[in-house]
Amino acid sequence: MRDWRQVTRDYIDLVFDFEQRGEHLPLVGWLDERRTMVSFPSYVGGPNDPEAVNYLAAVISGSLVGLDMRNHRGQDWVALGMNFFSAEGVYVNRLRGGTGDSFWYDVFPNVLFYQLNALYPENPARDQQALTVARKWHEACVALGGKTG
């Protein structure tokens, strides 16, 4: 049987390695000189702007196979994932994106964020974001006719 834990570790080692060389490599790179966020294509050869559904899922995957993604290859990938938190008070799929175009891309980044926050608890900034996200989704639920009691 295939060792999926090892497959995941190999994938994480590939996609989070700045030193990879070859066509379309490395897959990760810095978006700015201050190193506040990385480029992370959703598919090989695709645009380098990261998507939360790909980036956060990769960080979660590494975490689920026992890697501490707060310090994998010398980077805090968990903290970088917080860049997907928007001025709207929710997680969005694109760094400077918004909500309202696709229910999938509106919901799933927030689901991934909650999973990541559960894997790395007791971070006051993320806990505050979790509360804000919950409030925003509660507002959306009520606006769509959901009950408040």
Side-chain angles (χ1 to χ4, degrees):
M1 179 175 262
R2 189 164 190 183
D3 184 350
W4 288 106
R5 180 177 292 272
Q6 189 58 50
V7 169
T8 301
R9 286 176 174 266
D10 292 345
Y11 171 76
I12 297 302
D13 283 343
L14 172 69
V15 299
F16 289 109
D17 184 354
F18 291 97
E19 304 304 318
Q20 287 286 329
R21 295 295 174 251
E23 186 176 3
H24 303 296
L25 296 175
L27 293 171
V28 66
W30 293 108
L31 282 178
D32 58 20
E33 291 179 13
R34 295 183 336 213
R35 296 184 173 193
T36 59
M37 188 55 187
V38 291
S39 63
F40 197 84
S42 292
Y43 54 91
V44 175
N48 287 332
D49 58 325
E51 287 189 67
V53 297
N54 185 38
Y55 180 86
L56 295 176
V59 175
I60 290 165
S61 295
S63 304
L64 292 175
V65 297
L67 300 173
D68 183 354
M69 297 304 288
R70 293 170 299 186
N71 187 22
H72 181 68
R73 294 188 171 271
Q75 302 301 322
D76 187 344
W77 305 103
V78 175
L80 291 174
M82 293 174 68
N83 285 307
F84 293 103
F85 186 72
S86 73
E88 294 178 55
V90 295
Y91 270 68
V92 293
N93 193 49
R94 299 279 185 184
L95 290 177
R96 285 167 287 288
T99 59
D101 291 330
S102 164
F103 191 67
W104 165 258
Y105 286 117
D106 287 348
V107 173
F108 199 51
N110 294 283
V111 171
L112 292 171
F113 160 70
Y114 274 105
Q115 185 173 6
L116 192 62
N117 198 41
L119 289 167
Y120 297 97
E122 300 180 25
N123 178 292
R126 277 197 322 273
D127 290 343
Q128 183 59 49
Q129 287 181 348
L131 183 58
T132 300
V133 168
R135 287 181 177 143
K136 289 295 184 176
W137 279 106
H138 177 262
E139 289 174 17
C141 181
V142 170
L144 293 169
K147 296 182 180 181
T148 59

